[in-house]
């Protein structure tokens, strides 16, 4: 399968901050995962093998006690060759690993196995913003190369 065009629009770019790309490894589990520092709390719902993928269910300003997300949202959307895969409906999560309350590693693939993605969502201690980093592969080849 040859893809002529790809667009990766990360919800995280708009809400969470910076995006840097690098690969990760992980192990499997299911449920809600909370990342938190002194300023921000982010809750992600991850549903391995169900096709419900990854969604953000909460973005909360801890200091002001304000919830910024009124309903669950996809973390990102990927489109290529006229197809669209949302992280909350078009991904199958292979594995997930929460490290403390500051880092979440996720490995997933699109429902038809067109793409494989390795994501790392990090919320550093203190008041720093969340970062989403990772890699995207199509047919085993790194789609974007080394960015960042």
């Amino acid at each position: 399968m040859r893809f002529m065009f790809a667009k990766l629009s990360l919800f995280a770019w708009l809400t969470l901050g910076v995006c840097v790309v690098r690969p990760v490894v992980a192990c499997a589990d299911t449920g809600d995962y909370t990342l938190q520092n002194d300023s921000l709390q982010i809750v992600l719902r991850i549903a391995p093998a169900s096709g419900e993928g990854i969604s953000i269910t909460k973005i909360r300003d801890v200091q002001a006690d304000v919830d910024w997300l009124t309903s669950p949202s996809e973390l990102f959307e990927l489109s290529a060759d006229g197809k669209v895969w949302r992280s909350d409906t078009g991904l199958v999560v292979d594995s997930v690993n929460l490290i403390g309350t500051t880092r979440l590693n996720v490995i997933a693939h699109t429902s038809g196995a067109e793409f494989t993605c390795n994501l790392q969502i990090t919320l550093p201690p203190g008041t720093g913003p969340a970062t989403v980093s990772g890699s995207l592969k199509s047919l085993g080849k790194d789609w974007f190369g080394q960015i960042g």
Side-chain angles (χ1 to χ4, degrees):
M1 178 182 282
R2 184 171 175 208
F3 295 99
M4 300 303 288
F5 174 74
K7 178 183 87 175
L8 181 65
S9 57
L10 293 174
F11 179 78
W13 276 348
L14 301 174
T15 11
L16 306 177
V18 181
C19 184
V20 181
V21 176
R22 79 179 80 116
V24 298
V25 293
C27 55
D29 206 353
T30 303
D32 289 343
Y33 294 85
T34 301
L35 299 173
Q36 184 167 339
N37 66 14
D38 293 339
S39 296
L40 190 60
Q41 179 186 52
I42 301 167
V43 179
L44 296 118
R45 171 149 301 168
I46 299 181
S50 73
E52 293 178 17
I54 307 166
S55 59
I56 301 174
T57 59
K58 182 181 241 182
I59 300 174
R60 181 173 162 259
D61 181 329
V62 174
Q63 294 178 350
D65 195 26
V66 174
D67 285 322
W68 291 104
L69 193 60
T70 57
S71 62
S73 177
E74 74 273 6
L75 177 63
F76 64 89
E77 178 181 275
L78 172 68
S79 65
D81 200 26
K83 291 185 176 183
V84 176
W85 297 272
R86 291 172 40 141
S87 68
D88 61 342
T89 58
L91 280 186
V92 177
V93 175
D94 300 313
S95 61
V96 60
N97 184 24
L98 179 64
I99 301 167
T101 61
T102 61
R103 189 169 70 200
L104 184 67
N105 297 331
V106 180
I107 298 175
H109 64 273
T110 54
S111 52
E114 298 87 351
F115 291 98
T116 301
C117 58
N118 293 325
L119 298 173
Q120 183 178 67
I121 305 160
T122 305
L123 189 57
T127 59
T131 59
V132 177
S133 58
S135 69
L136 183 65
K137 292 183 179 184
S138 173
L139 304 174
K141 294 184 180 178
D142 196 345
W143 187 255
F144 292 109
Q146 294 296 322
I147 299 176

